[in-house]
Amino acid sequence: MNSLVMTSLEQGLIFAVLAMGVFLTYKVLDIADLSVEGTFTMGAFIFAKFISMGVHPIVSTLMGFCLGSLAGLLTAILFMKLKIKPLLAGILTMTILYSVNLRINGKANVPLFSYDTIFDMGPALAVLAIIVVGIKIALDQFLKTETGYLLIATGDNESLVRSLGANSNKYKLIGLMLANGLVGLSGALMAQMLGFADMTMGNSIIVVALASIII
Protein backbone atom coordinates (compact mmCIF):
# COMPACT_ATOMS: atom_id res chain seq x y z
CA MET A 1 0.00 0.00 0.00
CA ASN A 2 2.81 2.41 0.92
CA SER A 3 4.54 1.59 -2.36
CA LEU A 4 1.36 2.41 -4.29
CA VAL A 5 0.97 5.75 -2.48
CA MET A 6 4.61 6.68 -3.09
CA THR A 7 4.35 5.79 -6.79
CA SER A 8 1.16 7.83 -7.10
CA LEU A 9 2.78 10.84 -5.44
CA GLU A 10 5.86 10.58 -7.66
CA GLN A 11 3.78 10.38 -10.82
CA GLY A 12 1.62 13.23 -9.56
CA LEU A 13 4.67 15.47 -9.16
CA ILE A 14 5.88 14.61 -12.66
CA PHE A 15 2.43 15.43 -14.04
CA ALA A 16 2.59 18.70 -12.07
CA VAL A 17 5.49 19.77 -14.31
CA LEU A 18 3.40 18.74 -17.32
CA ALA A 19 0.41 20.71 -16.00
CA MET A 20 2.50 23.87 -15.50
CA GLY A 21 3.60 23.65 -19.13
CA VAL A 22 0.08 23.16 -20.50
CA PHE A 23 -1.18 25.89 -18.14
CA LEU A 24 0.97 28.43 -20.02
CA THR A 25 -0.66 27.66 -23.36
CA TYR A 26 -4.18 26.68 -22.34
CA LYS A 27 -4.87 29.22 -19.58
CA VAL A 28 -2.34 32.03 -20.08
CA LEU A 29 -2.12 32.23 -23.90
CA ASP A 30 -5.56 30.71 -24.51
CA ILE A 31 -4.15 28.33 -27.13
CA ALA A 32 -5.12 24.65 -27.34
CA ASP A 33 -1.68 23.16 -28.05
CA LEU A 34 -1.99 19.47 -28.88
CA SER A 35 1.70 19.19 -29.77
CA VAL A 36 2.40 18.29 -26.13
CA GLU A 37 1.50 14.66 -26.86
CA GLY A 38 4.54 14.47 -29.11
CA THR A 39 6.71 16.70 -26.91
CA PHE A 40 6.19 14.52 -23.82
CA THR A 41 7.47 11.48 -25.70
CA MET A 42 10.25 13.57 -27.24
CA GLY A 43 11.53 14.54 -23.78
CA ALA A 44 11.73 10.86 -22.84
CA PHE A 45 13.55 9.87 -26.03
CA ILE A 46 15.94 12.82 -25.83
CA PHE A 47 16.89 11.75 -22.30
CA ALA A 48 17.33 8.14 -23.47
CA LYS A 49 19.57 9.25 -26.34
CA PHE A 50 21.88 11.42 -24.22
CA ILE A 51 22.09 9.07 -21.24
CA SER A 52 23.00 6.17 -23.57
CA MET A 53 25.85 8.36 -24.90
CA GLY A 54 27.28 8.63 -21.39
CA VAL A 55 26.02 12.17 -20.65
CA HIS A 56 25.29 13.00 -16.98
CA PRO A 57 21.63 12.38 -15.96
CA ILE A 58 21.08 16.03 -14.96
CA VAL A 59 22.39 17.30 -18.30
CA SER A 60 20.36 14.66 -20.17
CA THR A 61 17.23 15.75 -18.31
CA LEU A 62 17.87 19.41 -19.10
CA MET A 63 18.33 18.50 -22.76
CA GLY A 64 14.78 17.13 -22.64
CA PHE A 65 13.69 20.67 -21.69
CA CYS A 66 15.88 22.46 -24.23
CA LEU A 67 15.05 20.31 -27.24
CA GLY A 68 11.43 19.98 -26.14
CA SER A 69 11.14 23.75 -26.45
CA LEU A 70 11.99 23.37 -30.15
CA ALA A 71 8.65 21.61 -30.59
CA GLY A 72 7.01 24.80 -29.32
CA LEU A 73 9.10 26.77 -31.80
CA LEU A 74 7.84 24.55 -34.64
CA THR A 75 4.23 25.01 -33.56
CA ALA A 76 4.76 28.78 -33.35
CA ILE A 77 6.22 28.88 -36.86
CA LEU A 78 3.32 26.87 -38.29
CA PHE A 79 0.85 29.03 -36.38
CA MET A 80 2.29 32.51 -36.94
CA LYS A 81 4.27 32.30 -40.18
CA LEU A 82 2.20 29.80 -42.18
CA LYS A 83 -1.10 31.07 -40.74
CA ILE A 84 -2.27 27.58 -39.71
CA LYS A 85 -4.90 27.52 -36.95
CA PRO A 86 -3.29 26.82 -33.51
CA LEU A 87 -5.23 23.57 -33.04
CA LEU A 88 -4.20 22.23 -36.45
CA ALA A 89 -0.63 23.48 -35.97
CA GLY A 90 -0.39 21.48 -32.74
CA ILE A 91 -1.75 18.35 -34.42
CA LEU A 92 0.69 18.77 -37.29
CA THR A 93 3.63 19.18 -34.89
CA MET A 94 2.49 16.12 -32.93
CA THR A 95 2.40 14.09 -36.17
CA ILE A 96 5.85 15.32 -37.22
CA LEU A 97 7.29 14.49 -33.79
CA TYR A 98 6.09 10.89 -34.07
CA SER A 99 8.60 10.32 -36.88
CA VAL A 100 11.26 12.46 -35.17
CA ASN A 101 10.96 10.52 -31.90
CA LEU A 102 11.26 7.21 -33.71
CA ARG A 103 14.33 8.48 -35.52
CA ILE A 104 16.13 9.73 -32.37
CA ASN A 105 16.88 6.25 -31.02
CA GLY A 106 15.95 4.14 -34.03
CA LYS A 107 13.39 2.07 -32.12
CA ALA A 108 10.02 2.45 -30.44
CA ASN A 109 11.09 1.32 -26.96
CA VAL A 110 14.35 2.09 -25.16
CA PRO A 111 15.09 0.35 -21.81
CA LEU A 112 16.90 2.57 -19.28
CA PHE A 113 17.30 0.26 -16.27
CA SER A 114 21.08 -0.02 -16.71
CA TYR A 115 21.67 3.74 -16.76
CA ASP A 116 21.96 6.30 -13.98
CA THR A 117 19.07 8.67 -13.26
CA ILE A 118 18.65 11.84 -11.22
CA PHE A 119 16.84 9.71 -8.65
CA ASP A 120 20.16 8.12 -7.72
CA MET A 121 20.95 11.36 -5.87
CA GLY A 122 18.31 10.75 -3.21
CA PRO A 123 14.71 9.62 -2.57
CA ALA A 124 12.69 10.05 -5.76
CA LEU A 125 9.86 11.86 -3.94
CA ALA A 126 12.25 14.41 -2.42
CA VAL A 127 14.08 15.00 -5.71
CA LEU A 128 10.80 15.51 -7.58
CA ALA A 129 9.42 17.80 -4.87
CA ILE A 130 12.51 20.01 -5.12
CA ILE A 131 12.22 20.13 -8.93
CA VAL A 132 8.50 20.96 -8.89
CA VAL A 133 8.82 23.64 -6.20
CA GLY A 134 11.84 25.13 -7.99
CA ILE A 135 9.98 25.30 -11.31
CA LYS A 136 6.87 26.77 -9.63
CA ILE A 137 8.89 29.53 -7.93
CA ALA A 138 10.85 30.28 -11.13
CA LEU A 139 7.64 30.39 -13.19
CA ASP A 140 5.94 32.71 -10.69
CA GLN A 141 8.93 35.05 -10.72
CA PHE A 142 9.03 35.01 -14.52
CA LEU A 143 5.34 35.92 -14.80
CA LYS A 144 5.97 38.94 -12.55
CA THR A 145 8.54 40.37 -14.95
CA GLU A 146 7.69 42.74 -17.80
CA THR A 147 7.93 39.87 -20.27
CA GLY A 148 5.69 37.75 -18.07
CA TYR A 149 3.05 40.46 -17.76
CA LEU A 150 3.03 40.97 -21.52
CA LEU A 151 2.77 37.20 -21.99
CA ILE A 152 -0.34 37.15 -19.80
CA ALA A 153 -1.71 40.23 -21.54
CA THR A 154 -1.24 38.57 -24.94
CA GLY A 155 -3.63 35.82 -23.91
CA ASP A 156 -6.13 38.22 -22.34
CA ASN A 157 -6.10 41.08 -24.85
CA GLU A 158 -3.75 40.80 -27.83
CA SER A 159 -4.89 44.16 -29.23
CA LEU A 160 -3.81 45.89 -26.03
CA VAL A 161 -0.31 44.44 -26.33
CA ARG A 162 -0.05 45.67 -29.91
CA SER A 163 -1.31 49.12 -28.89
CA LEU A 164 1.61 49.29 -26.45
CA GLY A 165 4.00 48.86 -29.35
CA ALA A 166 4.91 45.27 -28.43
CA ASN A 167 4.95 42.32 -30.81
CA SER A 168 2.35 39.85 -29.52
CA ASN A 169 3.78 37.06 -31.70
CA LYS A 170 7.02 37.31 -29.74
CA TYR A 171 5.22 36.47 -26.51
CA LYS A 172 3.27 33.65 -28.13
CA LEU A 173 6.61 32.21 -29.24
CA ILE A 174 8.07 32.52 -25.74
CA GLY A 175 4.99 30.93 -24.19
CA LEU A 176 4.87 28.00 -26.61
CA MET A 177 8.58 27.27 -26.28
CA LEU A 178 8.55 27.48 -22.49
CA ALA A 179 5.43 25.34 -22.26
CA ASN A 180 6.77 22.60 -24.52
CA GLY A 181 10.11 22.73 -22.73
CA LEU A 182 8.37 21.94 -19.44
CA VAL A 183 6.39 19.15 -21.11
CA GLY A 184 9.64 17.71 -22.51
CA LEU A 185 11.18 17.90 -19.02
CA SER A 186 8.19 16.05 -17.63
CA GLY A 187 8.65 13.32 -20.25
CA ALA A 188 12.34 12.99 -19.36
CA LEU A 189 11.45 12.60 -15.66
CA MET A 190 8.77 10.03 -16.43
CA ALA A 191 11.19 7.96 -18.52
CA GLN A 192 13.62 7.86 -15.57
CA MET A 193 10.92 6.83 -13.13
CA LEU A 194 9.50 4.09 -15.38
CA GLY A 195 12.91 2.89 -16.56
CA PHE A 196 12.13 3.09 -20.27
CA ALA A 197 11.11 5.45 -23.07
CA ASP A 198 8.25 4.30 -25.29
CA MET A 199 6.48 5.76 -28.31
CA THR A 200 3.07 5.41 -26.62
CA MET A 201 4.03 7.43 -23.52
CA GLY A 202 2.44 10.61 -24.84
CA ASN A 203 -0.85 9.09 -25.94
CA SER A 204 -3.75 11.10 -24.43
CA ILE A 205 -1.31 12.93 -22.12
CA ILE A 206 -3.12 16.18 -22.95
CA VAL A 207 -6.17 14.78 -21.13
CA VAL A 208 -4.06 14.17 -18.01
CA ALA A 209 -2.62 17.68 -18.26
CA LEU A 210 -6.02 19.36 -18.60
CA ALA A 211 -7.43 17.26 -15.76
CA SER A 212 -4.48 18.35 -13.61
CA ILE A 213 -5.17 22.00 -14.39
CA ILE A 214 -8.86 21.61 -13.48
CA ILE A 215 -7.98 19.87 -10.19
Side-chain angles (χ1 to χ4, degrees):
M1 183 64 181
N2 288 336
S3 177
L4 178 62
V5 172
M6 290 294 290
T7 301
S8 299
L9 289 173
E10 290 165 4
Q11 288 191 356
L13 288 171
I14 292 174
F15 287 141
V17 178
L18 169 72
M20 283 188 277
V22 175
F23 175 82
L24 285 172
T25 52
Y26 184 71
K27 297 290 285 184
V28 175
L29 286 176
D30 195 24
I31 295 175
D33 181 21
L34 294 184
S35 63
V36 297
E37 294 203 6
T39 310
F40 186 83
T41 306
M42 184 181 185
F45 273 83
I46 289 295
F47 173 81
K49 180 66 175 180
F50 278 92
I51 200 68
S52 63
M53 292 168 58
V55 180
H56 193 278
I58 294 178
V59 177
S60 299
T61 303
L62 290 176
M63 291 305 297
F65 172 86
C66 295
L67 296 181
S69 65
L70 295 181
L73 174 61
L74 176 59
T75 302
I77 291 173
L78 294 173
F79 167 38
M80 294 183 293
K81 298 299 182 182
L82 301 183
K83 306 301 181 184
I84 299 174
K85 294 292 185 182
L87 186 64
L88 295 177
I91 293 173
L92 186 56
T93 300
M94 177 180 66
T95 305
I96 292 171
L97 288 180
Y98 187 89
S99 299
V100 172
N101 293 337
L102 194 58
R103 180 66 177 172
I104 289 172
N105 288 282
K107 49 186 176 181
N109 185 284
V110 183
L112 301 171
F113 294 106
S114 59
Y115 298 107
D116 295 333
T117 69
I118 61 171
F119 303 130
D120 293 334
M121 298 187 297
L125 191 62
V127 172
L128 286 171
I130 292 171
I131 292 173
V132 171
V133 171
I135 292 173
K136 178 64 169 63
I137 293 172
L139 196 56
D140 285 345
Q141 292 302 312
F142 168 71
L143 292 176
K144 291 177 181 177
T145 63
E146 180 182 349
T147 301
Y149 281 126
L150 286 171
L151 179 66
I152 296 171
T154 299
D156 288 338
N157 191 338
E158 189 174 344
S159 299
L160 173 62
V161 175
R162 288 177 176 172
S163 70
L164 295 172
N167 184 356
S168 59
N169 284 341
K170 169 186 172 182
Y171 299 100
K172 290 178 183 178
L173 174 63
I174 292 172
L176 284 166
M177 289 186 69
L178 184 56
N180 280 273
L182 289 173
V183 173
L185 175 62
S186 178
L189 293 171
M190 183 62 77
Q192 293 174 75
M193 195 190 80
L194 297 177
F196 64 87
D198 189 84
M199 285 297 296
T200 61
M201 288 176 65
N203 291 0
S204 302
I205 203 69
I206 187 66
V207 178
V208 175
L210 293 177
S212 301
I213 292 173
I214 293 170
I215 292 173

mmCIF file of all heavy atoms in Angstrom, residues 36-74:
data_model
loop_
_atom_site.group_PDB
_atom_site.id
_atom_site.type_symbol
_atom_site.label_atom_id
_atom_site.label_comp_id
_atom_site.label_asym_id
_atom_site.label_seq_id
_atom_site.Cartn_x
_atom_site.Cartn_y
_atom_site.Cartn_z
ATOM 1 N N VAL A 36 1.793 18.812 -27.352
ATOM 2 C CA VAL A 36 2.396 18.286 -26.125
ATOM 3 C C VAL A 36 2.417 16.760 -26.102
ATOM 4 O O VAL A 36 3.263 16.163 -25.433
ATOM 5 C CB VAL A 36 1.685 18.824 -24.868
ATOM 6 C CG1 VAL A 36 1.821 20.330 -24.774
ATOM 7 C CG2 VAL A 36 0.215 18.436 -24.854
ATOM 8 N N GLU A 37 1.500 16.123 -26.820
ATOM 9 C CA GLU A 37 1.501 14.655 -26.859
ATOM 10 C C GLU A 37 2.770 14.126 -27.510
ATOM 11 O O GLU A 37 3.279 13.067 -27.140
ATOM 12 C CB GLU A 37 0.254 14.143 -27.590
ATOM 13 C CG GLU A 37 -1.046 14.450 -26.861
ATOM 14 C CD GLU A 37 -2.187 13.519 -27.250
ATOM 15 O OE1 GLU A 37 -1.940 12.561 -28.011
ATOM 16 O OE2 GLU A 37 -3.313 13.750 -26.791
ATOM 17 N N GLY A 38 3.280 14.861 -28.485
ATOM 18 C CA GLY A 38 4.544 14.474 -29.111
ATOM 19 C C GLY A 38 5.732 14.955 -28.315
ATOM 20 O O GLY A 38 6.761 14.278 -28.237
ATOM 21 N N THR A 39 5.598 16.125 -27.674
ATOM 22 C CA THR A 39 6.705 16.701 -26.908
ATOM 23 C C THR A 39 7.019 15.875 -25.669
ATOM 24 O O THR A 39 8.185 15.724 -25.291
ATOM 25 C CB THR A 39 6.368 18.143 -26.484
ATOM 26 O OG1 THR A 39 5.914 18.880 -27.611
ATOM 27 C CG2 THR A 39 7.601 18.833 -25.905
ATOM 28 N N PHE A 40 5.993 15.346 -25.013
ATOM 29 C CA PHE A 40 6.193 14.521 -23.817
ATOM 30 C C PHE A 40 7.054 13.305 -24.158
ATOM 31 O O PHE A 40 8.028 12.997 -23.456
ATOM 32 C CB PHE A 40 4.831 14.078 -23.268
ATOM 33 C CG PHE A 40 4.901 13.354 -21.955
ATOM 34 C CD1 PHE A 40 4.985 14.057 -20.759
ATOM 35 C CD2 PHE A 40 4.875 11.964 -21.900
ATOM 36 C CE1 PHE A 40 5.048 13.388 -19.540
ATOM 37 C CE2 PHE A 40 4.939 11.290 -20.694
ATOM 38 C CZ PHE A 40 5.022 12.005 -19.515
ATOM 39 N N THR A 41 6.698 12.642 -25.248
ATOM 40 C CA THR A 41 7.475 11.485 -25.705
ATOM 41 C C THR A 41 8.868 11.907 -26.142
ATOM 42 O O THR A 41 9.852 11.203 -25.887
ATOM 43 C CB THR A 41 6.755 10.789 -26.871
ATOM 44 O OG1 THR A 41 5.413 10.476 -26.494
ATOM 45 C CG2 THR A 41 7.470 9.507 -27.274
ATOM 46 N N MET A 42 8.960 13.062 -26.781
ATOM 47 C CA MET A 42 10.254 13.568 -27.244
ATOM 48 C C MET A 42 11.210 13.779 -26.076
ATOM 49 O O MET A 42 12.391 13.434 -26.155
ATOM 50 C CB MET A 42 10.056 14.880 -28.004
ATOM 51 C CG MET A 42 11.335 15.432 -28.617
ATOM 52 S SD MET A 42 11.049 16.996 -29.482
ATOM 53 C CE MET A 42 12.665 17.278 -30.194
ATOM 54 N N GLY A 43 10.695 14.338 -24.965
ATOM 55 C CA GLY A 43 11.527 14.538 -23.784
ATOM 56 C C GLY A 43 12.115 13.233 -23.277
ATOM 57 O O GLY A 43 13.293 13.164 -22.899
ATOM 58 N N ALA A 44 11.277 12.183 -23.287
ATOM 59 C CA ALA A 44 11.725 10.864 -22.837
ATOM 60 C C ALA A 44 12.801 10.300 -23.761
ATOM 61 O O ALA A 44 13.827 9.770 -23.307
ATOM 62 C CB ALA A 44 10.535 9.909 -22.766
ATOM 63 N N PHE A 45 12.598 10.426 -25.060
ATOM 64 C CA PHE A 45 13.550 9.871 -26.028
ATOM 65 C C PHE A 45 14.844 10.683 -26.079
ATOM 66 O O PHE A 45 15.911 10.122 -26.306
ATOM 67 C CB PHE A 45 12.906 9.791 -27.414
ATOM 68 C CG PHE A 45 12.136 8.528 -27.636
ATOM 69 C CD1 PHE A 45 10.842 8.394 -27.191
ATOM 70 C CD2 PHE A 45 12.725 7.447 -28.278
ATOM 71 C CE1 PHE A 45 10.129 7.226 -27.378
ATOM 72 C CE2 PHE A 45 12.030 6.263 -28.479
ATOM 73 C CZ PHE A 45 10.724 6.147 -28.022
ATOM 74 N N ILE A 46 14.733 11.992 -25.881
ATOM 75 C CA ILE A 46 15.945 12.822 -25.827
ATOM 76 C C ILE A 46 16.801 12.406 -24.631
ATOM 77 O O ILE A 46 18.025 12.267 -24.736
ATOM 78 C CB ILE A 46 15.583 14.317 -25.725
ATOM 79 C CG1 ILE A 46 14.995 14.813 -27.046
ATOM 80 C CG2 ILE A 46 16.795 15.145 -25.332
ATOM 81 C CD1 ILE A 46 15.950 14.780 -28.215
ATOM 82 N N PHE A 47 16.144 12.203 -23.470
ATOM 83 C CA PHE A 47 16.890 11.749 -22.296
ATOM 84 C C PHE A 47 17.557 10.404 -22.582
ATOM 85 O O PHE A 47 18.743 10.209 -22.264
ATOM 86 C CB PHE A 47 15.966 11.599 -21.088
ATOM 87 C CG PHE A 47 16.634 10.969 -19.897
ATOM 88 C CD1 PHE A 47 17.432 11.728 -19.047
ATOM 89 C CD2 PHE A 47 16.518 9.605 -19.653
ATOM 90 C CE1 PHE A 47 18.085 11.145 -17.981
ATOM 91 C CE2 PHE A 47 17.162 9.008 -18.586
ATOM 92 C CZ PHE A 47 17.952 9.782 -17.742
ATOM 93 N N ALA A 48 16.793 9.480 -23.180
ATOM 94 C CA ALA A 48 17.329 8.141 -23.473
ATOM 95 C C ALA A 48 18.540 8.228 -24.395
ATOM 96 O O ALA A 48 19.529 7.497 -24.212
ATOM 97 C CB ALA A 48 16.233 7.276 -24.103
ATOM 98 N N LYS A 49 18.476 9.117 -25.376
ATOM 99 C CA LYS A 49 19.573 9.253 -26.336
ATOM 100 C C LYS A 49 20.840 9.760 -25.655
ATOM 101 O O LYS A 49 21.927 9.198 -25.840
ATOM 102 C CB LYS A 49 19.152 10.219 -27.456
ATOM 103 C CG LYS A 49 20.209 10.446 -28.528
ATOM 104 C CD LYS A 49 20.464 9.161 -29.319
ATOM 105 C CE LYS A 49 21.419 9.404 -30.468
ATOM 106 N NZ LYS A 49 21.665 8.177 -31.242
ATOM 107 N N PHE A 50 20.695 10.812 -24.846
ATOM 108 C CA PHE A 50 21.877 11.416 -24.225
ATOM 109 C C PHE A 50 22.453 10.544 -23.112
ATOM 110 O O PHE A 50 23.672 10.453 -22.966
ATOM 111 C CB PHE A 50 21.534 12.808 -23.695
ATOM 112 C CG PHE A 50 21.573 13.877 -24.757
ATOM 113 C CD1 PHE A 50 20.435 14.215 -25.460
ATOM 114 C CD2 PHE A 50 22.756 14.515 -25.060
ATOM 115 C CE1 PHE A 50 20.468 15.189 -26.456
ATOM 116 C CE2 PHE A 50 22.816 15.494 -26.053
ATOM 117 C CZ PHE A 50 21.660 15.821 -26.753
ATOM 118 N N ILE A 51 21.588 9.907 -22.330
ATOM 119 C CA ILE A 51 22.091 9.071 -21.237
ATOM 120 C C ILE A 51 22.808 7.843 -21.789
ATOM 121 O O ILE A 51 23.784 7.360 -21.206
ATOM 122 C CB ILE A 51 20.949 8.655 -20.268
ATOM 123 C CG1 ILE A 51 21.526 8.227 -18.915
ATOM 124 C CG2 ILE A 51 20.113 7.539 -20.853
ATOM 125 C CD1 ILE A 51 22.143 9.333 -18.112
ATOM 126 N N SER A 52 22.341 7.336 -22.949
ATOM 127 C CA SER A 52 22.999 6.175 -23.568
ATOM 128 C C SER A 52 24.348 6.556 -24.177
ATOM 129 O O SER A 52 25.178 5.688 -24.447
ATOM 130 C CB SER A 52 22.095 5.561 -24.644
ATOM 131 O OG SER A 52 21.862 6.483 -25.695
ATOM 132 N N MET A 53 24.558 7.870 -24.382
ATOM 133 C CA MET A 53 25.846 8.357 -24.904
ATOM 134 C C MET A 53 26.829 8.659 -23.781
ATOM 135 O O MET A 53 27.944 9.111 -24.025
ATOM 136 C CB MET A 53 25.610 9.622 -25.738
ATOM 137 C CG MET A 53 24.840 9.393 -27.032
ATOM 138 S SD MET A 53 24.284 10.948 -27.806
ATOM 139 C CE MET A 53 25.833 11.806 -28.045
ATOM 140 N N GLY A 54 26.401 8.425 -22.533
ATOM 141 C CA GLY A 54 27.282 8.633 -21.395
ATOM 142 C C GLY A 54 27.200 10.021 -20.789
ATOM 143 O O GLY A 54 28.036 10.386 -19.950
ATOM 144 N N VAL A 55 26.195 10.813 -21.188
ATOM 145 C CA VAL A 55 26.024 12.166 -20.646
ATOM 146 C C VAL A 55 25.433 12.073 -19.235
ATOM 147 O O VAL A 55 24.650 11.163 -18.933
ATOM 148 C CB VAL A 55 25.115 13.009 -21.565
ATOM 149 C CG1 VAL A 55 24.922 14.411 -21.003
ATOM 150 C CG2 VAL A 55 25.705 13.070 -22.970
ATOM 151 N N HIS A 56 25.784 12.997 -18.359
ATOM 152 C CA HIS A 56 25.290 12.998 -16.977
ATOM 153 C C HIS A 56 23.760 13.084 -16.962
ATOM 154 O O HIS A 56 23.161 13.797 -17.786
ATOM 155 C CB HIS A 56 25.887 14.183 -16.217
ATOM 156 C CG HIS A 56 25.703 14.102 -14.736
ATOM 157 N ND1 HIS A 56 24.525 14.489 -14.106
ATOM 158 C CD2 HIS A 56 26.532 13.670 -13.749
ATOM 159 C CE1 HIS A 56 24.644 14.303 -12.805
ATOM 160 N NE2 HIS A 56 25.856 13.800 -12.565
ATOM 161 N N PRO A 57 23.098 12.384 -16.016
ATOM 162 C CA PRO A 57 21.627 12.380 -15.956
ATOM 163 C C PRO A 57 21.001 13.779 -15.861
ATOM 164 O O PRO A 57 19.968 14.033 -16.482
ATOM 165 C CB PRO A 57 21.330 11.567 -14.692
ATOM 166 C CG PRO A 57 22.509 10.679 -14.526
ATOM 167 C CD PRO A 57 23.674 11.459 -15.031
ATOM 168 N N ILE A 58 21.631 14.675 -15.102
ATOM 169 C CA ILE A 58 21.076 16.026 -14.962
ATOM 170 C C ILE A 58 21.116 16.757 -16.301
ATOM 171 O O ILE A 58 20.134 17.394 -16.716
ATOM 172 C CB ILE A 58 21.838 16.829 -13.888
ATOM 173 C CG1 ILE A 58 21.629 16.215 -12.511
ATOM 174 C CG2 ILE A 58 21.387 18.296 -13.894
ATOM 175 C CD1 ILE A 58 22.376 16.918 -11.389
ATOM 176 N N VAL A 59 22.246 16.653 -16.998
ATOM 177 C CA VAL A 59 22.389 17.298 -18.302
ATOM 178 C C VAL A 59 21.411 16.676 -19.302
ATOM 179 O O VAL A 59 20.766 17.387 -20.084
ATOM 180 C CB VAL A 59 23.834 17.184 -18.825
ATOM 181 C CG1 VAL A 59 23.953 17.804 -20.226
ATOM 182 C CG2 VAL A 59 24.802 17.852 -17.866
ATOM 183 N N SER A 60 21.274 15.355 -19.263
ATOM 184 C CA SER A 60 20.357 14.659 -20.168
ATOM 185 C C SER A 60 18.920 15.099 -19.925
ATOM 186 O O SER A 60 18.137 15.268 -20.871
ATOM 187 C CB SER A 60 20.473 13.141 -19.974
ATOM 188 O OG SER A 60 21.778 12.684 -20.262
ATOM 189 N N THR A 61 18.577 15.300 -18.652
ATOM 190 C CA THR A 61 17.231 15.753 -18.306
ATOM 191 C C THR A 61 16.998 17.172 -18.812
ATOM 192 O O THR A 61 15.934 17.472 -19.368
ATOM 193 C CB THR A 61 17.019 15.709 -16.777
ATOM 194 O OG1 THR A 61 17.274 14.374 -16.301
ATOM 195 C CG2 THR A 61 15.588 16.106 -16.418
ATOM 196 N N LEU A 62 17.991 18.026 -18.628
ATOM 197 C CA LEU A 62 17.875 19.411 -19.097
ATOM 198 C C LEU A 62 17.792 19.483 -20.617
ATOM 199 O O LEU A 62 17.139 20.379 -21.172
ATOM 200 C CB LEU A 62 19.062 20.240 -18.606
ATOM 201 C CG LEU A 62 19.094 20.518 -17.099
ATOM 202 C CD1 LEU A 62 20.378 21.255 -16.723
ATOM 203 C CD2 LEU A 62 17.874 21.340 -16.680
ATOM 204 N N MET A 63 18.421 18.544 -21.298
ATOM 205 C CA MET A 63 18.328 18.501 -22.756
ATOM 206 C C MET A 63 16.902 18.173 -23.193
ATOM 207 O O MET A 63 16.460 18.611 -24.261
ATOM 208 C CB MET A 63 19.301 17.464 -23.331
ATOM 209 C CG MET A 63 20.767 17.848 -23.198
ATOM 210 S SD MET A 63 21.162 19.459 -23.902
ATOM 211 C CE MET A 63 20.784 19.181 -25.624
ATOM 212 N N GLY A 64 16.196 17.403 -22.368
ATOM 213 C CA GLY A 64 14.782 17.133 -22.643
ATOM 214 C C GLY A 64 13.991 18.431 -22.658
ATOM 215 O O GLY A 64 13.082 18.616 -23.476
ATOM 216 N N PHE A 65 14.348 19.350 -21.734
ATOM 217 C CA PHE A 65 13.693 20.666 -21.688
ATOM 218 C C PHE A 65 14.086 21.512 -22.897
ATOM 219 O O PHE A 65 13.224 22.079 -23.581
ATOM 220 C CB PHE A 65 14.073 21.395 -20.402
ATOM 221 C CG PHE A 65 13.601 22.823 -20.345
ATOM 222 C CD1 PHE A 65 12.321 23.110 -19.896
ATOM 223 C CD2 PHE A 65 14.427 23.859 -20.754
ATOM 224 C CE1 PHE A 65 11.876 24.423 -19.860
ATOM 225 C CE2 PHE A 65 13.993 25.173 -20.715
ATOM 226 C CZ PHE A 65 12.709 25.462 -20.271
ATOM 227 N N CYS A 66 15.383 21.588 -23.164
ATOM 228 C CA CYS A 66 15.881 22.461 -24.226
ATOM 229 C C CYS A 66 15.371 22.050 -25.604
ATOM 230 O O CYS A 66 14.872 22.885 -26.373
ATOM 231 C CB CYS A 66 17.411 22.465 -24.224
ATOM 232 S SG CYS A 66 18.139 23.182 -22.734
ATOM 233 N N LEU A 67 15.483 20.765 -25.925
ATOM 234 C CA LEU A 67 15.049 20.306 -27.243
ATOM 235 C C LEU A 67 13.528 20.193 -27.320
ATOM 236 O O LEU A 67 12.954 20.304 -28.397
ATOM 237 C CB LEU A 67 15.720 18.972 -27.577
ATOM 238 C CG LEU A 67 17.249 19.042 -27.708
ATOM 239 C CD1 LEU A 67 17.834 17.679 -28.062
ATOM 240 C CD2 LEU A 67 17.653 20.058 -28.760
ATOM 241 N N GLY A 68 12.887 19.992 -26.155
ATOM 242 C CA GLY A 68 11.428 19.982 -26.140
ATOM 243 C C GLY A 68 10.869 21.339 -26.517
ATOM 244 O O GLY A 68 9.818 21.443 -27.162
ATOM 245 N N SER A 69 11.587 22.394 -26.130
ATOM 246 C CA SER A 69 11.140 23.752 -26.453
ATOM 247 C C SER A 69 11.144 23.993 -27.962
ATOM 248 O O SER A 69 10.412 24.847 -28.464
ATOM 249 C CB SER A 69 12.018 24.792 -25.749
ATOM 250 O OG SER A 69 13.348 24.740 -26.239
ATOM 251 N N LEU A 70 11.959 23.219 -28.692
ATOM 252 C CA LEU A 70 11.993 23.368 -30.149
ATOM 253 C C LEU A 70 10.676 22.933 -30.781
ATOM 254 O O LEU A 70 10.308 23.416 -31.858
ATOM 255 C CB LEU A 70 13.148 22.554 -30.741
ATOM 256 C CG LEU A 70 14.561 23.009 -30.347
ATOM 257 C CD1 LEU A 70 15.609 22.133 -31.018
ATOM 258 C CD2 LEU A 70 14.780 24.477 -30.720
ATOM 259 N N ALA A 71 9.966 22.015 -30.109
ATOM 260 C CA ALA A 71 8.646 21.612 -30.595
ATOM 261 C C ALA A 71 7.684 22.792 -30.520
ATOM 262 O O ALA A 71 6.858 22.999 -31.414
ATOM 263 C CB ALA A 71 8.113 20.438 -29.769
ATOM 264 N N GLY A 72 7.817 23.585 -29.449
ATOM 265 C CA GLY A 72 7.015 24.798 -29.322
ATOM 266 C C GLY A 72 7.366 25.805 -30.400
ATOM 267 O O GLY A 72 6.490 26.500 -30.932
ATOM 268 N N LEU A 73 8.648 25.871 -30.738
ATOM 269 C CA LEU A 73 9.104 26.766 -31.801
ATOM 270 C C LEU A 73 8.480 26.363 -33.135
ATOM 271 O O LEU A 73 8.022 27.224 -33.904
ATOM 272 C CB LEU A 73 10.629 26.725 -31.903
ATOM 273 C CG LEU A 73 11.268 27.505 -33.059
ATOM 274 C CD1 LEU A 73 10.952 28.990 -32.949
ATOM 275 C CD2 LEU A 73 12.781 27.273 -33.090
ATOM 276 N N LEU A 74 8.438 25.050 -33.400
ATOM 277 C CA LEU A 74 7.842 24.546 -34.642
ATOM 278 C C LEU A 74 6.360 24.888 -34.712
ATOM 279 O O LEU A 74 5.866 25.352 -35.748
ATOM 280 C CB LEU A 74 8.055 23.037 -34.747
ATOM 281 C CG LEU A 74 7.399 22.336 -35.950
ATOM 282 C CD1 LEU A 74 7.917 22.928 -37.257
ATOM 283 C CD2 LEU A 74 7.659 20.838 -35.911
#
